[in-house]
Amino acid sequence: MTNVYPSTHPLVAHKLTKLRDKKNTDPKKFRELIREISALLTYEVTADMRTKPVSVETPLARTEGLEMKEPIALIPILRAGLGMVEGVWSLMPSAEVWHIGLYRDENTLQPVEYYNKLPIEPTVSVCLILDPMLATGGSAIATVDLLKRWGVKRIKFVGVIAAPEGINTLHKHHPDVPIHIASIDDNLNENGYIVPGLGDAGDRQFGTG
Ligand code: PRP
Ligand code: URA
């Protein structure tokens, strides 16, 4: 698969295994793990971000260093993407956050938009879409469509678990969008849930299952 980056980091695999565990992982632990995995993925996702030279003074001398060049926005897809924001912010506290509200219609599995307050003009050049689950790909495609219409040039998808079906469909529509993920799972079941997956990511975070 091109332009798909499953993490190979042992810490990510360790935390993902705990995240899946329905018996021992309550909503509080689930939120902590989502936050920690998101921070670890941020390190990988930002590896090719542009930098610019900057000069600073240490207690001993002036020296040249680097700082991040491009303004970055985080786009959490409500609800489940919300839990990823804190993890990414722990490494990039100045990132803007623009929320997009989508839910999957239970019968059609099609995304339904219910919240979008993007300003008319794009305020950033790079957007990271945050959503732990890439299942059919419908929600991710709708979000990329929206961000491209907004005028953003560079978009990355950051998730926790993806189904092969979701990766293929997202890339059929938007091959330019890299997919960073903790794991690629086996398949989708007849209800559109990822197997083995972790169940409903929104319900497990917010205790609403
Ligand atoms: C989940 C998940 C994604 C979507 C993925 O959201 O967080 O947004 O499903 O499925 P897809 O790839 O088939 O579109 P859900 O609709 O359950 O809403 P929630 O986060 O509010 O619980
Ligand atoms: N949304 C979830 O929260 N979990 C899945 O497995 C699929 C979509």
Side-chain angles (χ1 to χ4, degrees), residues 7 9 11-13 15-16 19 30-47 74 81-93 128 130-132 158-160 180-182:
S7 177
H9 199 294
L11 260 179
V12 172
K15 290 177 187 297
L16 176 62
L19 192 72
F30 193 92
R31 291 192 295 271
E32 280 168 21
L33 289 163
I34 286 276
R35 192 177 66 234
E36 291 166 357
I37 291 169
S38 304
L40 290 165
L41 291 177
T42 301
Y43 181 74
E44 300 183 358
V45 171
T46 50
L74 314 182
L82 272 181
M84 299 180 70
V85 172
E86 284 294 335
V88 183
W89 254 349
S90 66
L91 297 184
M92 295 196 301
L128 306 182
L130 308 180
D131 192 333
V158 190
V160 177
H180 290 263
I181 205 85

Side-chain angles (χ1 to χ4, degrees), residues 41-154:
L41 291 177
T42 301
Y43 181 74
E44 300 183 358
V45 171
T46 50
D48 63 351
M49 292 290 166
R50 293 182 197 117
T51 54
K52 61 182 179 195
V54 61
S55 172
V56 292
E57 218 163 306
T58 78
L60 302 177
R62 178 155 285 280
T63 186
E64 301 307 311
L66 296 171
E67 67 180 18
M68 299 284 276
K69 185 174 177 181
E70 299 166 294
I72 296 174
L74 314 182
I75 315 287
I77 305 181
L78 306 178
R79 293 175 298 164
L82 272 181
M84 299 180 70
V85 172
E86 284 294 335
V88 183
W89 254 349
S90 66
L91 297 184
M92 295 196 301
S94 58
E96 295 178 15
V97 177
W98 296 100
H99 302 85
I100 301 293
L102 294 176
Y103 70 87
R104 279 198 320 178
D105 180 285
E106 269 178 25
N107 299 312
T108 63
L109 298 183
Q110 292 304 304
V112 180
E113 185 179 322
Y114 62 89
Y115 186 83
N116 172 2
K117 286 253 184 188
L118 290 175
I120 293 171
E121 295 290 326
T123 52
V124 293
S125 50
V126 184
C127 282
L128 306 182
I129 298 175
L130 308 180
D131 192 333
M133 308 307 274
L134 180 62
T136 66
S139 306
I141 291 166
T143 308
V144 177
D145 286 345
L146 209 142
L147 293 176
K148 284 189 174 174
R149 279 200 303 275
W150 194 38
V152 177
K153 296 281 177 288
R154 206 163 160 220

